[in-house]
């Protein structure tokens, strides 16, 4: 009985450990010095602009594809151009977004769709993100599509 209690305690503590999950943002996470690389849709940017060798200096993770910030509770909110619209950033973990005055990004109106039942892929250089449409593949949504950013 004592051994079962110990095994249960170890199992619970391992299960509750901080494990990187897709819903946690990796933006700003440390990289460089040959430590864990950034996720596939991010790149390691040196903290010092004079560093050209990331194996010898620290850096942080940033998205490979940059989009203009818009909306939000800022002194001078930016508006999007005619070919894009301001939406919550689907690359970040779920939050209340624009509804809570968190800045969004300008998403092109003509985006490619990805994922879904037939598993559409994105053009080279773009990555598939949840479309923030309420469909959740982890909770009953078998045909959830995304957008390529």
């Amino acid at each position: 009985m004592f051994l079962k209690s110990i095994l249960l305690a170890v199992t619970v503590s391992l299960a509750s450990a901080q494990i990187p999950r897709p819903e946690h943002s990796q933006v700003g996470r440390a990289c460089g010095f040959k430590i864990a690389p950034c996720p596939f849709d991010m790149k390691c940017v040196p903290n010092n602009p004079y560093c050209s060798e990331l194996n010898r200096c620290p850096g942080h993770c940033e998205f490979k594809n940059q989009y203009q910030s818009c909306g939000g509770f800022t002194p001078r909110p930016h508006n999007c151009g005619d070919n894009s619209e301001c939406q919550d950033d689907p690359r970040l973990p779920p939050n209340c977004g624009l509804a809570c005055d968190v800045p969004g990004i300008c998403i092109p109106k003509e985006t490619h769709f990805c994922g879904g039942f037939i598993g559409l892929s994105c053009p080279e250089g773009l990555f598939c993100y949840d479309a923030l449409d309420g469909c959740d593949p982890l909770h009953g949504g078998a045909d959830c599509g995304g957008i390529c950013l």
Side-chain angles (χ1 to χ4, degrees), residues 117-134:
F117 183 70
I118 57 176
L120 296 171
S121 60
C122 291
E124 188 173 332
L126 297 178
F127 304 94
C128 190
Y129 297 97
D130 182 21
L132 299 177
D133 56 2

Side-chain angles (χ1 to χ4, degrees), residues 70-95:
C70 61
F73 187 66
T74 60
R76 295 183 189 151
H78 300 282
N79 295 322
C80 298
D82 293 337
N83 296 329
S84 59
E85 57 189 2
C86 190
Q87 295 182 8
D88 292 335
D89 192 342
R91 303 171 300 174
L92 299 177
N95 59 45

Side-chain angles (χ1 to χ4, degrees), residues 36-139:
C38 295
F40 67 94
D41 61 342
M42 295 184 173
K43 61 185 174 186
C44 188
V45 177
N47 291 342
N48 183 338
Y50 299 107
C51 173
S52 60
E53 184 60 44
L54 281 167
N55 289 332
R56 298 181 183 173
C57 61
H60 60 279
C61 296
E62 288 184 3
F63 287 112
K64 289 179 181 176
N65 298 328
Q66 298 293 319
Y67 295 91
Q68 179 183 342
S69 178
C70 61
F73 187 66
T74 60
R76 295 183 189 151
H78 300 282
N79 295 322
C80 298
D82 293 337
N83 296 329
S84 59
E85 57 189 2
C86 190
Q87 295 182 8
D88 292 335
D89 192 342
R91 303 171 300 174
L92 299 177
N95 59 45
C96 58
L98 293 168
C100 296
D101 290 328
V102 175
I105 59 172
C106 293
I107 295 180
K109 290 180 180 176
E110 298 295 325
T111 58
H112 291 88
F113 290 98
C114 55
F117 183 70
I118 57 176
L120 296 171
S121 60
C122 291
E124 188 173 332
L126 297 178
F127 304 94
C128 190
Y129 297 97
D130 182 21
L132 299 177
D133 56 2
C135 183
D136 187 355
L138 300 177
H139 296 99

Side-chain angles (χ1 to χ4, degrees), residues 31-36 54-56:
C31 57
F33 285 128
K34 298 181 182 179
I35 61 175
L54 281 167
N55 289 332
R56 298 181 183 173

